[in-house]
Amino acid sequence: MVLLWKKQGDAEKKVSDSKQGKKQSRLKISELILSAKNLSFQVERLRRERFLSEKVVDLAEYRTLRKTQAVKAVLVIDDDRELEEPLSKALEKRGFRTLFATDAEKLAGIIEGNTFDLALVNPGLDWVDGFEFCQLIKGNQSLRGIPIILISPESGQPQIRKGFEAGCDEYLTKPFKLERLVRTIKYFLVNY
């Protein structure tokens, strides 16, 4: 009887041990689940910290970019080298940037790599037809708002009419006073 009770006790102990083992394994599984959740929270927290510590936009670069975008650019299409330096200085003094195209190659490079807010064009150049350039700009939906000033030594009525028919906003005859040209440019850049 004692032996039977021992066997029965051993069986109960085994059942009890297996229940406790299952309970412990459940605890271990639930601990693993909690630990996995905790780990995923930790990973997410680290990702957020890393994201917040990274520079999304460098403030100095942004300010420089804003300044360059805020500066209005004048495209000058003319081969008159005597006009280039004084006009550049006068416009830069007033906060404008000048882009000089003295030949077709430079013009193509400027148009491909820059934006401009006003075009100052000599219509009588050999390498570009200023009237045709004016028509192309004014005929383009996204560019038609860019003011175009034609500057030419020809002052006859047919030439001036041809310029305005091509779509120019102003026609100035050479020679002109630099101050008048700068005032006209400034007027168009501020008001258009």
Side-chain angles (χ1 to χ4, degrees):
M1 184 101 143
V2 174
L3 191 59
L4 184 61
W5 184 72
K6 260 189 172 185
K7 283 185 181 180
Q8 202 175 18
D10 285 342
E12 285 177 6
K13 189 176 177 185
K14 283 183 183 178
V15 168
S16 170
D17 284 345
S18 73
K19 282 183 181 178
Q20 201 166 19
K22 285 182 183 178
K23 209 179 208 183
Q24 283 179 347
S25 68
R26 283 187 201 142
L27 284 175
K28 286 181 182 177
I29 291 173
S30 64
E31 285 175 8
L32 286 173
I33 291 171
L34 287 174
S35 133
K37 285 181 181 177
N38 189 21
L39 183 62
S40 68
F41 286 128
Q42 287 178 354
V43 167
E44 186 61 31
R45 184 179 53 81
L46 289 172
R47 282 184 187 155
R48 287 181 186 162
E49 286 176 4
R50 191 173 118 216
F51 175 76
L52 292 174
S53 68
E54 290 178 1
K55 289 182 180 177
V56 177
V57 174
D58 184 21
L59 190 56
E61 288 178 22
Y62 174 76
R63 287 181 178 154
T64 304
L65 181 65
R66 289 290 294 165
K67 283 182 183 175
T68 58
Q69 286 179 345
V71 174
K72 295 200 174 190
V74 177
L75 171 62
V76 181
I77 304 173
D78 198 346
D79 57 2
D80 186 357
R81 299 270 183 197
E82 293 175 13
L83 178 65
E84 187 172 350
E85 189 177 334
L87 182 59
S88 288
K89 285 182 180 179
L91 290 174
E92 286 173 12
K93 187 177 178 181
R94 286 160 182 83
F96 303 120
R97 187 170 53 111
T98 54
L99 306 165
F100 266 90
T102 53
D103 59 39
E105 258 183 63
K106 287 182 183 175
L107 178 60
I110 289 171
I111 289 175
E112 284 178 13
N114 297 283
T115 59
F116 55 94
D117 302 289
L118 182 139
L120 188 63
V121 183
N122 182 343
L125 298 173
D126 296 335
W127 49 273
V128 66
D129 182 347
F131 299 115
E132 187 177 338
F133 178 84
C134 190
Q135 287 174 336
L136 287 171
I137 295 292
K138 295 301 181 173
N140 185 308
Q141 184 68 29
S142 61
L143 299 176
R144 74 172 38 150
I146 296 174
I148 298 176
I149 301 172
L150 295 180
I151 51 171
S152 175
E154 297 184 36
S155 60
Q157 287 297 328
Q159 189 76 358
I160 294 171
R161 183 177 295 117
K162 186 176 179 183
F164 282 107
E165 286 173 355
C168 79
D169 296 283
E170 186 63 72
Y171 190 102
L172 299 176
T173 56
K174 290 182 179 182
F176 45 76
K177 293 197 183 264
L178 184 62
E179 192 54 43
R180 179 168 187 257
L181 176 61
V182 170
R183 269 196 325 268
T184 305
I185 291 171
K186 185 177 178 182
Y187 172 81
F188 279 103
L189 288 176
V190 171
N191 295 312
Y192 285 85

